[in-house]
Amino acid sequence: RRKSYFYKWKKEKDWGFDDPRFVIQNWMRNRNTLEFIGLWEVLNNENFNRVQFDTFRNEAGLNRFTMTPQKWIDSTNAIGIISYGGQEQMFTLTPESLLSRKKGRKHADAEEIFKRIFKGSMPAIVSGDISSPGIFYNSYLSTYIERDVKSLSDAIDSLKFLRFITALAARCSQMLNISELARDAELNQKQVKDWLGILETLGILFYLYPYSNNLLKRLVKTPKVYFYDTGLVAYLTKWSSPETLTSGAMSGAILENYVVSEIRKTYLNNGKEAFMYYYRDKDAKEIDLVLEQDGELHPIEIKKSANPASEILRVFPVLDKPSLKRGNGAVICLKTELSAFNKENYIVPVWMI
């Protein structure tokens, strides 16, 4: 049985609006909100109308676009939102809502962090309905390939697609190299591009694009690829336990994937645009994550260390060249307590994101 977490929008005494419907409608017309609630439906609702969802997603953010809970339910056969009339509206985001993510934000050391990474964040696992990630992901992949993928392209061979997504998982947090991926998956480059598009459409992966600015001429232009769920990555790359994953060759990459995806999901859960990038120039200077917010660029490094060295900060000044101001930076790592290098650069534990 699925667990549900409820958010209530009450009347003007709580929000300062004469009609709380405006709060909900404004939230739902945001593209990131629709992508988030649409992703949940894709994963949990076999009757979800993905064609209508794609239409809404393309129109989201336009001045003429409006959305209400009842319109969403009636048009897409959604089951993750329940609309009640009367004194309040009630939303159900089940089960990995913002509330459930906050409940899971508990003090954790490296061992516990990698257990979370290995376990993943699929609703059936987070809710406790299924205790074995291996059993779940085996079933999930079979269902996913047979139903969702083939609904978009009947020509896809299941074994080839499994080989492709496995090769892609082994490259999480890396710059996307179409030719290498095609070679390892034994596909042509057109197939790789088409299948990447399918995975993005179905909410399995997303891209982090390099930060660009007219004042920065020597930047790479290739995106990095990330999975929304690290449990799927761990399963596809055949790690048998959190312990082997922690000490394995992919530990740094999958930790980065986890951090970047959790930050992105936090933005989506709040219905906000995620202005996230990475930095890399042709001199191989790189910053794992750059957040743009309120006219500032915030550099973030992600390290599998409990005691990151201050030398990590030396690359941050490369962001001083753009027209935007460089704001406070951070190193997100396996340290268990929040601390700082100085007043401008923090040391943030992974469990706090």
Side-chain angles (χ1 to χ4, degrees), residues 26 41 50 54 90 117 134 155 168 178 194 196 231 258 263 274 281 284 290 299 321 325 332:
N26 189 57
E41 297 289 347
R50 288 189 291 271
D54 286 338
M90 183 177 290
I117 291 172
L168 185 64
I178 298 292
D194 289 344
L196 284 170
Y258 176 77
I263 292 174
D281 60 28
V290 177
K321 294 180 181 179
K325 176 185 176 182
I332 299 177

Side-chain angles (χ1 to χ4, degrees), residues 95 134 348:
V348 180

Side-chain angles (χ1 to χ4, degrees), residues 92 104 112 122 174 203 217 227 240 253 273 286 289 309 334 338:
T92 305
E112 176 60 27
M122 287 294 188
Q174 297 181 24
K217 302 294 186 181
F227 281 68
S240 61
E273 187 81 20
E286 183 170 359
L289 184 61
L334 297 176
L338 179 66

Side-chain angles (χ1 to χ4, degrees), residues 111 114-115 118 239-248:
E111 181 181 358
F114 273 90
K115 285 182 180 178
F118 181 81
W239 297 101
S240 61
S241 68
E243 292 75 24
T244 57
L245 178 59
T246 302
S247 59

Side-chain angles (χ1 to χ4, degrees), residues 214-233:
N214 291 335
L215 299 177
L216 300 172
K217 302 294 186 181
R218 294 174 55 78
L219 298 180
V220 297
K221 298 180 180 180
T222 307
K224 295 171 72 173
V225 63
Y226 295 87
F227 281 68
Y228 277 104
D229 186 73
T230 53
L232 178 60
V233 175

Side-chain angles (χ1 to χ4, degrees), residues 30-78:
N30 184 283
R31 179 184 174 91
N32 288 314
T33 299
L34 290 185
E35 286 181 343
F36 168 63
I37 60 178
L39 170 61
W40 187 93
E41 297 289 347
V42 167
L43 295 175
N44 293 278
N45 180 4
E46 63 181 9
N47 296 316
F48 184 56
N49 187 336
R50 288 189 291 271
V51 175
Q52 185 60 60
F53 166 57
D54 286 338
T55 300
F56 286 154
R57 183 167 57 177
N58 291 334
E59 294 177 352
L62 297 177
N63 289 335
R64 68 172 183 272
F65 179 71
T66 60
M67 179 57 65
T68 65
Q70 200 59 52
K71 178 180 178 181
W72 171 255
I73 294 167
D74 293 342
S75 301
T76 66
N77 300 319

